[in-house]
Amino acid sequence: MSIRPKWLRDLASIVFSFYYILYAQEADEKLRRFRAVPTVEMLRTTWEKTTNPYIRFFTRLPRIDVRRKILLARPKSSSYTRPITAYLFFALPEKELCKATELILDFPGGGFVAMTPEHHEERLRMWAVSTGRPVLAVEYGKAPEYPYPFAQDEAFDTYRLMVESCGKIIGMSGKKISIIISGDSAGGSLALNIVIKTLELRNLAASSHQPIKLPLPTAVVLNYAALDFNFTSWMSADNLRVLRSEQSSGNIPGLKEVAELKDHLKHVVLSVRDKKPSRKRIRRRSSWKDTLKGFASGGEVDDEDNKHGYPTTALRVPSKTFSLRAMPAMLGADEGSLADAESDDEDFNARKEEDRPIQARILYKYPNGGSDLPRSNSALEKQQQELAFSGNNSPRPMNGKAKESVGTRLTMTSRTGYFQDRIISPSMMRAMAILYIGPHRNPDFATDYHISPILAPDHLLAQFPPLLMQCGEKDPFVDDTVIFAGRVREAKRARKIELDLALSGKSARFGESLRMSSQDGHADNKTTADMKKERDKLSREVDSDWVQMVLFSDWSHGYLQMPTLMSEAKAVRFFIYF
């Protein structure tokens, strides 16, 4: 970062990258120091390497006919004057663009602080080639220069522009338009906010008997979306209930394997990638650098190598959707994990106490996992016990199989559990949150669903368009994907029940989240025909029509950025709902 001039810095970036690939432990230590006090410059330098001219020279970008940068004026209803910057990618000849009526509107990720469509260009070109549709990627304002809610408003303004002009302002037909919105990481939050703002505007127009002029997008495609700004350690009771419901309905196969991923008690330290001692220690060969270090230290042995020189744990969960190879070591699935071959019934008594897994150091074990312990009168203790031992006494599902226990391992959320994730660390997440919010706002993180779309009320989720949600099982944001998908399904089911009861003339008690448009909760502002149409549509659909969720085994964050280094990323599906 401090090297000048730029050409030398770009060249040094490549050289040092190769160096730290060879000396991975030193790379981890250097990143640890930077991530302890991350800066905007560090975040941007770390993530924006794909525009390095030397890397781009060796990157084979898919060939397309149209690739241009566009400046768009804000819609008349906007309170902003800064023009919208976007990049248009179209694989077909330019003369075909004026016939296009279908658009992919993409919001690239970057932690709300970094990266533009140019840093995602490889996969944007791939999408343009594979779909045959124009892809418009928005370079929205980044924090700290443009704090919340600037990026959200800019994303919504872009969607309104495309709808109002039917795409004519970017060269499309201008007759009609069908839009799929996509987003990864931070861009996924912006994509969902477009849907939420559109629904709020439509509901407001319906309540005032005004015509609805802003249609919903055809579908929303999300990859490892960041949907929750509540960086907590324990899953909330409501989210845990959704998780249980998803498992019993079969939407999350293999809950036992997912729980194993979060079994932190298997390790010496509360970390998924803990350095676990093995019977056979693997030591790397000494290098010239070690020799110089030995002279400098007077021949003393570096205890750090003995302490942290063991192979890291690479937990594997078989994917239920794709049979793809494991994520490369740079994403956290470290190679050389001979320690993982140890059997579960190994005698840990021969080891020193500090070298034993935490589970082996527990001296007193409660019968039945403590599920039959008397409950405390304390509300806090009661909630913690319910989180820790839930599912043990639950009824059996319809298929006759016993419901798997949802205990402490699974109630610990991924973003806290994977606090040594090589792509996103907690210190980086906190820094991005602080930069994104800015100095002039103090939102209520427990209720503000614009900041945390995972908190969106059920009456909005029930109206969502089809969703395709994809994420790696080792991603810090995998819980966001699983919980949001479950909440949408629950809201759709509840909406159908509400419509059935309303059309049958029966009364029922519904929460505020699924009330009808009128003030007293009845269907006064909706015609019977509209209600029947909505009910019939929900009746014809199944859960997979509302949400399709794909979890990739052993993958972490940012796989869309790595099609050159990781061929499996090219297999990530992009559904077309047109």
Side-chain angles (χ1 to χ4, degrees), residues 99-129:
K99 304 176 184 178
T101 59
E102 302 162 348
L103 174 69
I104 299 172
L105 181 60
D106 183 75
F107 296 90
F112 303 103
V113 299
M115 303 181 75
T116 69
E118 290 185 292
H119 301 98
H120 296 253
E121 186 164 348
E122 185 174 6
R123 60 104 174 167
L124 292 171
R125 285 172 174 255
M126 286 172 50
W127 285 1
V129 172

Side-chain angles (χ1 to χ4, degrees), residues 233-401:
S233 295
W234 294 94
M235 193 175 290
S236 68
D238 186 59
N239 286 348
L240 187 59
R241 177 190 55 77
V242 173
L243 189 65
R244 287 202 204 98
S245 174
E246 287 293 284
Q247 168 60 15
S248 62
S249 63
N251 291 319
I252 308 180
L255 179 61
K256 182 177 180 181
E257 289 82 0
V258 176
E260 285 294 324
L261 265 177
K262 302 184 182 184
D263 192 354
H264 308 285
L265 299 182
K266 280 188 173 182
H267 307 277
V268 177
V269 184
L270 291 178
S271 166
V272 170
R273 265 180 286 280
D274 171 47
K275 275 64 180 178
K276 176 180 176 183
S278 62
R279 294 191 182 104
K280 181 179 179 181
R281 294 184 177 182
I282 301 177
R283 306 179 68 90
R284 62 179 176 83
R285 292 180 299 175
S286 60
S287 64
W288 59 269
K289 186 169 184 180
D290 296 322
T291 304
L292 293 177
K293 187 185 297 184
F295 283 121
S297 60
E300 296 178 0
V301 179
D302 190 356
D303 292 336
E304 194 67 16
D305 287 339
N306 291 333
K307 184 178 179 181
H308 298 292
Y310 312 133
T312 58
T313 300
L315 297 177
R316 293 177 58 85
V317 172
S319 174
K320 302 299 180 182
T321 309
F322 287 95
S323 177
L324 299 176
R325 297 197 302 274
M327 178 68 85
M330 66 176 63
L331 288 183
D334 300 328
E335 297 178 354
S337 52
L338 297 181
D340 293 338
E342 297 175 346
S343 61
D344 294 335
D345 57 353
E346 179 183 353
D347 183 13
F348 293 105
N349 293 328
R351 295 186 182 178
K352 295 180 181 180
E353 185 175 5
E354 61 269 20
D355 289 338
R356 300 176 191 172
I358 295 175
Q359 190 168 351
R361 298 175 67 173
I362 299 176
L363 298 179
Y364 182 80
K365 298 182 179 180
Y366 289 97
N368 300 322
S371 59
D372 52 356
L373 290 175
R375 296 303 176 93
S376 168
N377 292 327
S378 167
L380 180 59
E381 292 182 10
K382 182 176 180 180
Q383 182 182 11
Q384 290 298 323
Q385 288 177 354
E386 289 176 353
L387 290 175
F389 306 122
S390 58
N392 292 325
N393 299 318
S394 55
R396 293 175 179 269
M398 295 297 293
N399 58 12
K401 296 182 179 180

